[in-house]
Amino acid sequence: LGAWIMVELYYFLSVILAVILFSVTMGEVSSIGEVLLGMAFQSFNHLTIIILASIVSLFFKSTINIFFLSPLILMIKTSNGYIGHLAFAEWFQGMGLFRMIGVLLHVSFPHLGFFDGVSDSFISDYPIGFNIPVELIHYGITLTLWAFILHFLFNKKDL
């Protein structure tokens, strides 16, 4: 939780500075409300990544952690973008190895792509193409499961 708060404070300060900079250079005041709402939804992605990074760091050193976690986050977001817009019946059509991995990632991890889309919709006029209640329920369940896994592994780990 402490790492998440530190990340969010840094993120908040850097975005506020960017908004001020763009407002000064463009000669008009940017709408800060939409930016703050976008930041709030993006903070859920940060929390998810911090929890996943904490789990991975229990097994790997920090350098290997980055090289393992970066492709994992990219694959999660890719599977969210590809499978998230399909109807459930279409998930399994033409099932191959990559589709199976995509479905597994899409079901097992919180949907990072959803919060990217919601955040983008506040900052720009990008439409939300997700079922919001289903996505929030899935996010809550999967993040809670990963937090319990982290708690269990951390308690079992000899520090």
Side-chain angles (χ1 to χ4, degrees), residues 16-92:
I16 294 300
L17 288 173
V19 167
I20 292 170
L21 178 68
F22 287 131
S23 296
V24 168
T25 57
M26 293 171 54
E28 61 185 51
V29 178
S30 297
S31 167
I32 194 74
E34 288 86 6
V35 172
L36 291 176
L37 280 172
M39 285 176 51
F41 277 95
Q42 195 64 30
S43 71
F44 290 110
N45 274 356
H46 299 156
L47 178 62
T48 303
I49 292 169
I50 288 170
I51 288 175
L52 293 176
S54 299
I55 292 170
V56 172
S57 71
L58 292 174
F59 299 102
F60 300 115
K61 295 181 183 197
S62 61
T63 307
I64 297 171
N65 188 358
I66 292 170
F67 289 119
F68 179 79
L69 196 62
S70 296
L72 177 64
I73 299 299
L74 181 64
M75 290 188 305
I76 291 170
K77 286 187 175 191
T78 302
S79 71
N80 294 161
Y82 182 70
I83 295 174
H85 297 288
L86 297 176
F88 182 73
E90 296 173 0
W91 286 12
F92 306 102

Side-chain angles (χ1 to χ4, degrees), residues 81-119:
Y82 182 70
I83 295 174
H85 297 288
L86 297 176
F88 182 73
E90 296 173 0
W91 286 12
F92 306 102
Q93 291 177 352
M95 181 64 78
L97 177 64
F98 290 114
R99 173 75 64 109
M100 185 171 51
I101 292 170
V103 168
L104 183 65
L105 289 171
H106 187 70
V107 171
S108 302
F109 291 95
H111 295 167
L112 301 175
F114 165 68
F115 288 107
D116 286 341
V118 171
S119 180

